[in-house]
Amino acid sequence: MKVAFGSDHAGIELKLFLMEHLKEKGYECTDYGNYDPNDRGDDYPLPGRLVAEAIAEGKEDRGVLICGTGLGISLAANKVPGIRAAVCSEPFTAKMSRCHNNCQIIAMGARVVGRELAAMIVDTFFENEFEGGRHAVRVDMISQIEKDYGKA
């Protein structure tokens, strides 16, 4: 599985840790930036967008985004039509984001979760699959909102 990673300066250290964590499990990881923890001008919308576009275009299968809280970078990713990115601070939400919402991207806050919790969250996200059924109806309803606004 191909996994796209992106972060702002606050998330670089956790991003690199999680990339190594998933590589050890056999995932192919690509870093879409940012790369310099001292560059405070590396605003989170750009890597959020780049990762989401790569997934929407089929270049990558799933994504992991990290900023200070996970919120800003997920908002940017969710603006790309067809993308569902969930901010997760614990494993249960990560599981539900896959099983019930078919999210392609997980976002976390480097200032919110530590390394070990982040690894548990990412593992849970990647170990679960979309259940479909009644949940597919709801995901289709979300997609319809994009269509209604001419974005899909």
Side-chain angles (χ1 to χ4, degrees):
M1 179 181 294
K2 293 181 176 182
V3 182
F5 278 81
S7 72
D8 67 359
H9 66 277
I12 291 173
E13 184 179 324
L14 184 57
K15 174 185 67 176
L16 295 174
F17 170 79
L18 291 172
M19 286 179 70
E20 190 58 37
H21 176 74
L22 287 181
K23 284 179 185 177
E24 290 173 3
K25 293 178 174 271
Y27 293 91
E28 182 181 330
C29 300
T30 305
D31 190 345
Y32 284 78
N34 284 303
Y35 311 103
D36 183 355
N38 298 312
D39 182 2
R40 305 268 181 202
D42 63 348
D43 297 321
Y44 54 77
L46 181 58
R49 179 181 185 161
L50 292 173
V51 166
E53 287 176 341
I55 292 167
E57 294 168 6
K59 295 176 184 174
E60 305 282 353
D61 299 310
R62 293 207 192 132
V64 178
L65 294 173
I66 304 166
C67 67
T69 63
L71 184 56
I73 203 164
S74 72
L75 291 173
N78 278 317
K79 294 297 181 183
V80 175
I83 292 299
R84 290 172 304 284
V87 180
C88 298
S89 299
E90 36 67 38
F92 181 73
T93 303
K95 178 179 179 179
M96 293 299 104
S97 74
R98 286 292 307 137
C99 294
H100 291 189
N101 305 116
N102 200 19
C103 288
Q104 310 102 316
I105 298 174
I106 190 167
M108 286 179 277
R111 295 177 178 140
V112 178
V113 299
R115 284 182 168 202
E116 295 309 313
L117 180 56
M120 288 190 294
I121 293 167
V122 166
D123 288 346
T124 300
F125 183 76
F126 284 95
E127 290 167 0
N128 285 279
E129 292 298 329
F130 184 50
E131 293 175 0
R134 65 188 168 101
H135 306 295
V137 173
R138 295 169 184 155
V139 171
D140 289 345
M141 291 171 74
I142 293 168
S143 297
Q144 186 60 49
I145 294 169
E146 289 180 333
K147 292 175 185 168
D148 290 347
Y149 281 87
K151 301 292 183 187

